[in-house]
Amino acid sequence: MKFKPANKIQDLQYFGEFGGVNPSISDSSTYTFLSAKTMFDTFEGNADGCYLYSRHSTPSNLYLGEALAEMEGTETANVTASGMGAITPVLLQLCAAGDHIVSSRTIYGGTYAFLKNFTPKLNIATTFVDITKLDVVEAAITKTTKILYCESVSNPLLEVADIKGLAALAKKYGLKLIVDNTFSPLSITPGELGADIIIHSLTKFINGSSDTVGGVVCASQEFIDDLRNVNDGACMLLGSTLDSLRASSVLKNLRTLHIRMKQHSKNAMYLAEKFESEGLKTVYPGLVSHPSHELFTTMMNEEYGYGGMLTIDVGSLAKANELMELMQHKNLGYLAVSLGFYKTLFSAPGTSTSSEIPEEEQQQMGLTDGLIRFSIGLDNDIERTFDMMKSCMKEVGVL
Ligand code: PLP
């Protein structure tokens, strides 16, 4: 039977302590015990249902984690204070000095910087590859490789990872396949395709209101227990814990994710087709011209579409900046990084979210100066939006 991630979120039932339809928020950093013995057992992880200290776990964080695990079809999940607060402990948990990672070369700039500049200090090396070429990925695997790392749809180039193919490689060489699914929640379910660990920045589509940073690791109970281990768990010891108030607000927003994703995808598809027909160099996985359109189609949960992210290339950074400033002036969206907001957000990744990647490498991977990344909003009247964007494009001379 087809995997139905939104049904699984909706089927969860929670009540607050006074019968509220939302679970009560745990507004405490520490918890009392009637007996010292129970406190000891809780610290050792042997007292189910008891809480000790809010960096370890809180009811609000567990509720959100449970819902996200349902969404991704994994045994459980651990929520974190940011997307980077999910990515970095996972990598550090799985790698020791001397280990090696094979990563997609087109990934979020912060993740890239962590692998390129930070983990080498711990003697963990990374080879960056074109993730769309399985033979290149396989050739980069060495005896010390522990992890294959990618984004299902990459930031910012929107390359699509063949998760089944990568999972087969991971299995063959005994590696963990880690997939950052931030760009394609609900549309793609990496765990169903063989990924071992699925990560999201909750800051983006999942929360959707650009008021919170957060992250999640969805994985097996065993791995999440490892991350939370009081003696050597990277989430526990590095301490990127999500605040309960934020966890509860993200959980409430998660319940409308399916409606939002359908609208983001519908609007993005409309604009991508229009931009392309106007002759703009447009990248969107829903376009037949996208090199991985068919692959995405075989992997997707159809009803959620191809996602809300698209890029156009307007030739130069100067033109990109001029166009973005004008579109913001006309209230077509905001010149801002991040994604998943109700308003369209646009930025030039080369000088913002991917600026950690040296210029030469940007060129090699095809990240051009004139690239504008759009996170398409929930506009009710996307036809009007397109007409207005088109006149901005004419005014700055890119059409
Ligand atoms: N993964 C992807 C694909 C992202 O785009 C981002 C942020 O832009 C992150 C991870 C990091 O998330 P956060 O900013 O919540 O730490």
Side-chain angles (χ1 to χ4, degrees):
M1 206 177 71
K2 195 101 181 104
F3 189 71
K4 294 271 189 187
N7 293 18
K8 297 191 75 188
I9 297 169
Q10 182 144 29
D11 289 347
L12 288 170
Q13 214 180 31
Y14 303 105
F15 298 106
E17 70 193 297
F18 304 107
V21 294
N22 289 304
S24 308
I25 302 170
S26 45
D27 192 26
S28 296
S29 58
T30 189
Y31 300 81
T32 60
F33 292 86
L34 291 177
S35 84
K37 162 97 175 53
T38 319
M39 179 187 261
F40 176 75
D41 289 345
T42 307
F43 196 80
E44 294 285 298
N46 299 328
D48 258 4
C50 290
Y51 297 91
L52 178 89
Y53 181 61
S54 288
R55 177 161 47 75
H56 299 196
S57 69
T58 73
S60 301
N61 288 7
L62 292 185
Y63 290 138
L64 176 61
E66 190 187 340
L68 290 162
E70 286 298 322
M71 180 182 89
E72 290 297 3
T74 57
E75 279 175 12
T76 189
N78 190 51
V79 294
T80 55
S82 68
M84 287 308 291
I87 293 164
T88 55
V90 165
L91 297 173
L92 295 178
Q93 191 72 35
L94 291 171
C95 288
D99 286 341
H100 174 247
I101 296 168
V102 175
S103 168
S104 166
R105 63 182 182 175
T106 74
I107 48 174
Y108 166 59
T111 313
Y112 179 87
F114 183 70
L115 291 172
K116 174 96 179 173
N117 307 325
F118 195 100
T119 48
K121 292 193 273 188
L122 309 172
N123 196 20
I124 298 167
T126 299
T127 305
F128 294 98
V129 295
D130 179 344
I131 204 74
T132 63
K133 300 202 168 78
L134 289 178
D135 54 334
V136 174
V137 175
E138 182 163 18
I141 296 169
T142 68
K143 280 200 185 94
T144 55
T145 308
K146 291 283 170 352
I147 289 173
L148 289 185
Y149 186 91
C150 67
E151 295 171 0
S152 25
V153 178
S154 76
N155 183 0
L157 293 179
L158 310 182
E159 286 180 351
V160 178
D162 176 353
I163 298 172
K164 267 192 187 162
L166 292 167
L169 281 181
K171 203 162 175 211
K172 181 169 167 191
Y173 292 95
L175 317 177
K176 293 278 182 228
L177 174 61
I178 306 176
V179 179
D180 178 337
N181 198 28
T182 300
F183 273 32
S184 44
L186 298 179
S187 292
I188 295 179
T189 309
E192 288 287 294
L193 302 165
D196 298 293
I197 297 165
I198 303 101
I199 292 176
H200 284 273
S201 164
L202 302 178
T203 318
K204 312 293 162 39
F205 288 106
I206 289 180
N207 186 53
S209 48
S210 291
D211 55 359
T212 299
V213 282
V216 68
V217 182
C218 301
S220 65
Q221 186 70 53
E222 188 185 356
F223 184 65
I224 298 297
D225 287 347
D226 286 350
L227 284 174
R228 287 187 183 141
N229 188 297
V230 288
N231 294 306
D232 65 358
C235 276
M236 179 66 71
L237 299 176
L238 297 174
S240 70
T241 305
L242 185 63
D243 183 74
S244 287
L245 279 162
R246 286 310 194 182
S248 84
S249 71
V250 176
L251 177 63
K252 282 178 272 188
N253 288 356
L254 177 66
R255 295 167 179 161
T256 57
L257 180 65
H258 57 302
I259 301 168
R260 290 185 279 114
M261 284 318 297
K262 286 176 193 173
Q263 188 73 6
H264 284 300
S265 291
K266 183 169 155 251
N267 285 352
M269 188 74 193
Y270 181 86
L271 288 180
E273 281 177 341
K274 288 285 186 189
F275 289 162
E276 189 170 58
S277 72
E278 292 291 333
L280 285 168
K281 213 168 144 193
T282 310
V283 175
Y284 180 64
L287 293 175
V288 177
S289 60
H290 190 290
S292 300
H293 172 70
E294 272 176 35
L295 172 65
F296 194 119
T297 307
T298 61
M299 294 197 297
M300 75 196 290
N301 299 312
E302 209 181 313
E303 59 187 312
Y304 304 107
Y306 293 88
M309 303 301 294
L310 66 85
T311 68
I312 58 170
D313 191 337
V314 297
S316 71
L317 180 61
K319 279 282 169 228
N321 288 344
E322 206 184 335
L323 177 61
M324 290 190 293
E325 284 169 14
L326 183 61
M327 287 193 298
Q328 174 162 259
H329 182 68
K330 301 276 183 196
N331 199 16
L332 288 167
Y334 296 137
L335 172 46
V337 298
S338 203
L339 37 135
F341 199 37
Y342 83 104
K343 280 262 199 192
T344 293
L345 303 178
F346 31 78
S347 56
T351 50
S352 59
T353 46
S354 298
S355 59
E356 296 92 339
I357 304 172
E359 248 173 65
E360 200 188 296
E361 286 174 42
Q362 290 192 19
Q363 274 166 14
Q364 275 170 19
M365 64 176 69
L367 209 174
T368 50
D369 261 6
L371 195 81
I372 303 179
R373 186 189 77 178
F374 285 78
S375 162
I376 304 301
L378 300 173
D379 309 26
N380 185 48
D381 189 350
I382 198 68
E383 293 84 0
R384 182 188 70 160
T385 303
F386 171 67
D387 290 342
M388 289 172 72
M389 283 184 173
K390 188 173 164 185
S391 59
C392 292
M393 288 168 178
K394 283 192 167 154
E395 196 173 326
V396 301
V398 302
L399 275 186

